[in-house]
Amino acid sequence: MSVPDLDVFQVIADPSRREILMMLSKDSLTINALADNFDMSRPAVSKHVKILYNAGFIAIEDVGRERYCSLKQEGFQELQKFMDYFDKFWANKLKKLETLLNSRKKPN
């Protein structure tokens, strides 16, 4: 079964998925441990985990009977590229403003 490309912004738009990412930034957790932090069913948490996994935000490792989730860099790279673009955009705008303000400060 092929997985359609997921838009990373749609993936992180859900507050539960963002919370899962925040929890996994502290430690690898099982799906059951993640589910204990939410007022939703384990299958609902599993669905969020699957979306994060398919989008490249998390890895899942089977250890015995448990499935451990941990963060993975891949999904964050697209977000970082987007943010880098706008960081450069705003840095350029601020540099132009600085140049303009400095040109108006010329001593009489």
Side-chain angles (χ1 to χ4, degrees):
M1 178 174 129
S2 111
V3 176
D5 286 335
L6 296 171
D7 181 300
V8 294
F9 293 97
Q10 289 176 324
V11 172
I12 65 166
D14 185 277
S16 297
R17 289 194 285 269
R18 289 194 307 269
E19 185 62 28
I20 289 170
L21 292 174
M22 294 301 289
M23 286 188 277
L24 294 176
S25 73
K26 296 173 180 76
D27 199 6
S28 294
L29 296 169
T30 65
I31 295 174
N32 285 331
L34 287 168
D36 288 343
N37 291 282
F38 293 96
D39 188 23
M40 66 176 88
S41 68
R42 186 189 180 287
V45 172
S46 290
K47 184 177 179 180
H48 287 298
V49 165
K50 183 177 180 180
I51 290 168
L52 291 168
Y53 173 80
N54 288 337
F57 283 96
I58 65 171
I60 299 174
E61 181 182 3
D62 292 329
V63 179
R65 297 173 74 185
E66 296 287 347
R67 301 187 79 202
Y68 281 86
C69 303
S70 59
L71 290 184
K72 190 174 157 187
Q73 189 176 13
E74 181 185 329
F76 294 94
Q77 289 172 333
E78 188 173 339
L79 291 174
Q80 189 61 55
K81 282 184 356 187
F82 182 83
M83 295 304 297
D84 287 347
Y85 173 85
F86 285 99
D87 281 346
K88 290 175 189 168
F89 170 83
W90 288 113
N92 185 33
K93 291 287 188 189
L94 291 171
K95 186 66 178 165
K96 286 179 180 179
L97 178 60
E98 178 185 33
T99 301
L100 175 65
L101 292 174
N102 286 338
S103 71
R104 291 183 177 190
K105 282 186 182 177
K106 290 181 182 176
N108 293 340

